[in-house]
Amino acid sequence: MNPLRPVILAAADSPRMKRVLTGNPVTAEIVRRFVAGEGRDELLPVVADLLASRRLISVDFLGENTTDRASAEATVAEYLSLINALAAIERPVLPGIGAAPVEVSVKLSALGQSLPADGLAISLDNLRTLCVGAAAAGVWVTVDAEDHTTTDATLATVRALRTEFPWLGAVLQAYLHRTESDCVEFAGPGSRIRLCKGAYREPHRVAFQRATEVTDAYLRCLQVLMHGRGYPMVATHDPVLILAAEAMAAETGRPAHRFEHQMLYGIRDAEQLRLTGAGYAMRVYIPYGSQWYGYLTRRLAERPANLTFFLRALVGKS
Ligand code: FDA
């Protein structure tokens, strides 16, 4: 794992760093690489272009750790408008691929999960409202994974709503020690699981820290999902894991339309197009919105080169 990662993720929690980054015009250039825009007007042309290139999409309205109920409700309202706007965009016809081309991704902390007292019930109700709107529009929903203190609550919410909305997806993070057994639970028929490495700063007692350990854990989790009866979503840019997914699919007799590759907007675009051209379902996760700070710092922490680029730009413009 990148040795600077814990340092950057720790610094990212500092309100001072947040003020410096969000108040600096140079940041906007970096943000643009990873975030489609602040509003739907900037997002929708990006979505249309990606769909026209035969890639599938998942849109995330940026926001996390909502501290009041009104903000959680405003997030739901934005998602419902987003879903309607997405439903109006022309979708590609992809022979042999049964996945919904359009999906939204959502963080339960943005829907009120951490509100005192009844946060869990509020976020569950809000997610249900969102799923009702999505079902009517033929759009899928997947629930993002946040830090490990939320995993039990998030998976309980997904479990509860999957009885009404069996297509509701969840994210599992391979770096958590618990995830291999979560994969066993969520590998049943119809279960959509997005497997990623994990992007938060987590303690040793709950998460693997070394890059090789995380890669090995990812491979073990992917084996479980690929051997299961659900729909694995292989969310990684790592060439080793992408090849492993293809090999496991061949070994388990899983055709290309029974799983999908997923990557983040702005990362490994040529590889996204290669996978699409090779007949795989390739979904791009596209964030938009003004609350991009947490998302950006996680992307900077993943790759020292991003941080170097960013610091050079800062120094160059100061
Ligand atoms: P790794 O970090 O080893 O990267 C492999 C290669 O990919 C790098 O060598 C580089 O070429 C490229 N790359 C990766 N990150 C890059 C970056 N930031 N900038 C430029 N190049 C980069 N996490 C989480 O905790 N909860 C969640 O809900 C999600 N959701 C999610 C959805 C989707 C669709 C994806 C693809 C990822 C997530 N993640 C996430 C993030 C995930 O946990 C992880 O932090 C990143 O995907 C980076 O890990 P990789 O598997 O790509 O490997």
Side-chain angles (χ1 to χ4, degrees), residues 33-34 144-145 171 173 175 194 196-200 235-238 262-264 267-268 285 299 302-303 306:
R33 182 181 160 194
F34 298 107
D144 283 344
V171 179
Q173 297 152 312
Y175 65 10
R194 171 181 296 156
C196 67
K197 286 186 180 173
Y200 293 78
T236 180
H237 315 90
D238 187 334
Q262 300 192 336
M263 293 189 199
L264 301 175
I267 302 182
R268 301 204 71 199
Y285 181 104
R299 301 296 77 81
E302 273 152 11
R303 206 163 174 240
N306 290 346

Side-chain angles (χ1 to χ4, degrees), residues 124-149:
L124 185 122
D125 277 356
N126 282 338
L127 182 59
R128 178 182 284 116
T129 305
L130 216 147
C131 287
V132 169
V139 168
W140 274 349
V141 179
T142 290
V143 179
D144 283 344
E146 302 181 67
D147 74 72
H148 80 279
T149 62

